[in-house]
């Protein structure tokens, strides 16, 4: 797995948890064309409410993301890979993706929060612990445009 300065089908983003015993360092979002089309609809859904200062976000069930933790084999330090960025496109194959280490919690209820600013974040919970796992905010609207000049 390596960082890419041009858009790829995979986006690595910093992630965290409030768990005292489990770990979560990053997440990978699969940026398929279907995913982009669905996100475009969601951005359009929130735009009519852009003047409502009380609206925080719209929440959608969305399992296009998997949360991971650093390991000694495939990704020893996601911070180094991201080079102090919040997110980055990454080059990887399905075989590598399957070998990445996941948190101990069984994660459920994957939710995408879409903000009227065009940003979003993913959130999920440990099924039996209720512990919270989340990503950093990311520019959803820019990703669906597949802009090659994205910066963070």
């Amino acid at each position: 797995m390596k960082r890419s300065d041009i858009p790829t089908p995979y986006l690595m983003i910093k992630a965290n948890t409030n768990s005292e015993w489990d770990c979560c360092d990053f997440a990978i979002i699969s940026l398929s064309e279907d995913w982009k089309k669905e996100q475009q609809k969601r951005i359009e859904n929130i735009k009519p409410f852009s003047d409502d200062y009380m609206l925080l976000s719209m929440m959608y069930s969305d399992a296009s993301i998997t949360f991971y933790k650093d390991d000694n084999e495939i990704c020893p330090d996601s911070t180094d890979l991201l080079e102090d960025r919040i997110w980055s496109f990454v080059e990887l194959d399905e075989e590598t993706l399957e070998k990445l280490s996941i948190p101990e919690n069984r994660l459920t209820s994957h939710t995408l929060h879409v903000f009227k600013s065009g940003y979003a974040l993913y959130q999920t919970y440990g099924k039996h612990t209720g512990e919270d796992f989340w990503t950093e905010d990311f520019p959803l609207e820019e990703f669906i445009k597949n802009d090659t000049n994205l910066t963070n």
Side-chain angles (χ1 to χ4, degrees):
M1 178 167 51
K2 70 179 198 175
R3 193 175 62 79
S4 174
D5 291 327
I6 59 172
T8 69
Y10 298 104
L11 180 75
M12 177 187 242
I13 187 165
K14 283 185 182 180
N16 289 296
T17 181
N18 66 355
S19 176
E20 292 183 15
W21 61 274
D22 205 354
C23 188
C24 180
D25 299 296
F26 66 97
I28 302 282
I29 304 170
S30 297
L31 304 175
S32 68
E33 287 305 314
D34 288 340
W35 181 87
K36 290 177 189 178
K37 288 176 187 173
E38 190 63 34
Q39 304 321 315
Q40 182 62 50
K41 290 179 196 172
R42 294 169 178 177
I43 293 286
E44 293 303 319
N45 287 344
I46 200 167
K47 281 188 179 181
F49 303 101
S50 61
D51 291 335
D52 184 350
Y53 69 94
M54 297 297 285
L55 178 69
L56 298 176
S57 68
M58 289 184 155
M59 296 170 45
Y60 294 93
S61 177
D62 189 321
S64 305
I65 190 168
T66 305
F67 289 79
Y68 297 99
K69 60 184 179 179
D70 292 348
D71 58 30
N72 293 328
E73 194 174 319
I74 306 293
C75 187
D77 191 346
S78 55
T79 305
D80 283 349
L81 184 62
L82 288 169
E83 294 183 358
D84 297 323
R85 298 177 183 192
I86 293 171
W87 58 264
S88 181
F89 294 106
V90 290
E91 295 176 14
L92 67 127
D93 55 39
E94 287 296 320
E95 185 178 319
T96 303
L97 193 59
E98 290 175 14
K99 291 180 181 177
L100 291 170
S101 297
I102 59 173
E104 300 293 323
N105 269 286
R106 184 169 171 202
L107 302 180
T108 186
S109 302
H110 291 69
T111 305
L112 176 68
H113 298 262
V114 178
F115 301 99
K116 57 188 177 185
S117 65
Y119 277 69
L121 69 81
Y122 277 94
Q123 183 176 25
T124 189
Y125 299 95
K127 183 173 183 171
H128 300 291
T129 64
E131 293 173 322
D132 195 11
F133 293 74
W134 67 92
T135 67
E136 296 288 334
D137 294 1
F138 59 93
L140 178 64
E141 193 165 26
E142 293 180 43
F143 291 142
I144 59 178
K145 293 177 185 174
N146 213 9
D147 187 349
T148 57
N149 297 318
L150 290 169
T151 58
N152 69 59

